[in-house]
C-alpha cells in the first residue's frame, strides 16, 4: 500500500510553506467540521504556534508541491502533541500519513520527547486507525482546546523505535 508512483520527500518547515500548511489543513477541517478559533490562530502563524515554541512541522513534497504536513507542538520538555496532520485527498491511501507520522515521532524523540499526545475525533477513522497501528492508545480526554475533539491518544515513545 505504500507504493508511491511519484517520488516524495519529507522536508522540514520553511516560511515559504506556511500557506500550504494552512490550505492542507483547512481542506480536511472544512470537509468534516467548522474551523475553530484555535485552528485559525495556528494555521495563520505556524512559525509562532509550532516552531518558536520548540515544536516542528514537516511536509511531504511531490515535485516541489506540499501534498501533506504534520505538526508537533511542545507542551513540556518531555510531552509533545501531534497536531494539524493532513494529506491532500489525491494523495491519501498511499502511505504518506504513516511515513510522516513515523518521521515526526523521530523528530519528537530527537527533541527529548518521551510522550506524544493526539486529540482527534472518532469520525476520522483512518487517522485513528493509523495512530493505533503505531502504538498510540486511547486515554481520557486531555484537553477541551477543540470543540470537535472527542478522543485523546497517547504514545509512550520508549515503545517506539
Amino acid at each position: 500500500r505504500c507504493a508511491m508512483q511519484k517520488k516524495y520527500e519529507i522536508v522540514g518547515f520553511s516560511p515559504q510553506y506556511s500557506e500550504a500548511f494552512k490550505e492542507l489543513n483547512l481542506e480536511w477541517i472544512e470537509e468534516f467540521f467548522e474551523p475553530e478559533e484555535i485552528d485559525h490562530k495556528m494555521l495563520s502563524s505556524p512559525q509562532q504556534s509550532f516552531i518558536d515554541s520548540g515544536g516542528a512541522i514537516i511536509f511531504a513534497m511531490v515535485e516541489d508541491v506540499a501534498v501533506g504536513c504534520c505538526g508537533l507542538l511542545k507542551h513540556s520538555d518531555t510531552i509533545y502533541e501531534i497536531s494539524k496532520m493532513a494529506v491532500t485527498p489525491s494523495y491519501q491511501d498511499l502511505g504518506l500519513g504513516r511515513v510522516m507520522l513515523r518521521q515526526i515521532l523521530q523528530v519528537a524523540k530527537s527533541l527529548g520527547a518521551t510522550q506524544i499526545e493526539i486529540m482527534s475525533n472518532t469520525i476520522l477513522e483512518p487517522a485513528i486507525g493509523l495512530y493505533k497501528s503505531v502504538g498510540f492508545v486511547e486515554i481520557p480526554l486531555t484537553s477541551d482546546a477543540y470543540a470537535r475533539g472527542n478522543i485523546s491518544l497517547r504514545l509512550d515513545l520508549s515503545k517506539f523505535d
Side-chain angles (χ1 to χ4, degrees):
R1 253 172 65 94
C2 206
M4 287 279 298
Q5 279 12 57
K6 293 195 164 93
K7 227 170 127 40
Y8 69 87
E9 69 173 324
I10 303 295
V11 301
F13 180 77
S14 165
Q16 76 205 47
Y17 301 136
S18 294
E19 197 54 37
F21 185 69
K22 184 177 191 172
E23 288 170 12
L24 284 164
N25 277 289
L26 285 177
E27 193 170 35
W28 74 262
I29 294 169
E30 289 171 346
E31 181 180 344
F32 296 100
F33 310 101
E34 275 294 312
E36 299 178 39
E37 187 55 44
I38 188 169
D39 295 313
H40 292 300
K41 179 179 178 287
M42 294 169 99
L43 295 176
S44 55
S45 56
Q47 173 87 39
Q48 290 85 339
S49 299
F50 290 83
I51 311 299
D52 295 351
S53 55
I57 299 173
I58 59 170
F59 291 89
M61 308 291 292
V62 173
E63 295 171 355
D64 297 324
V65 176
V67 298
C69 60
C70 184
L72 186 68
L73 289 170
K74 181 177 183 175
H75 288 302
S76 74
D77 286 346
T78 57
I79 300 173
Y80 286 73
E81 176 187 357
I82 288 176
S83 177
K84 303 292 181 266
M85 183 168 174
V87 176
T88 198
S90 57
Y91 282 87
Q92 288 173 2
D93 299 323
L94 299 171
L96 270 182
R98 178 174 302 279
V99 168
M100 287 191 303
L101 181 59
R102 295 190 74 84
Q103 181 69 37
I104 206 76
L105 291 174
Q106 292 298 345
V107 170
K109 250 184 155 164
S110 74
L111 293 172
T114 58
Q115 199 172 287
I116 304 292
E117 295 183 350
I118 295 175
M119 175 179 273
S120 191
N121 185 292
T122 48
I123 69 166
L124 303 172
E125 287 178 32
I128 306 295
L130 170 61
Y131 304 143
K132 288 183 174 176
S133 77
V134 298
F136 279 86
V137 293
E138 191 172 338
I139 57 168
L141 274 181
T142 52
S143 153
D144 58 3
Y146 294 93
R148 66 177 176 265
N150 70 358
I151 184 172
S152 288
L153 301 119
R154 181 176 290 150
L155 176 68
D156 175 350
L157 265 181
S158 68
K159 295 183 171 83
F160 178 79
D161 50 15

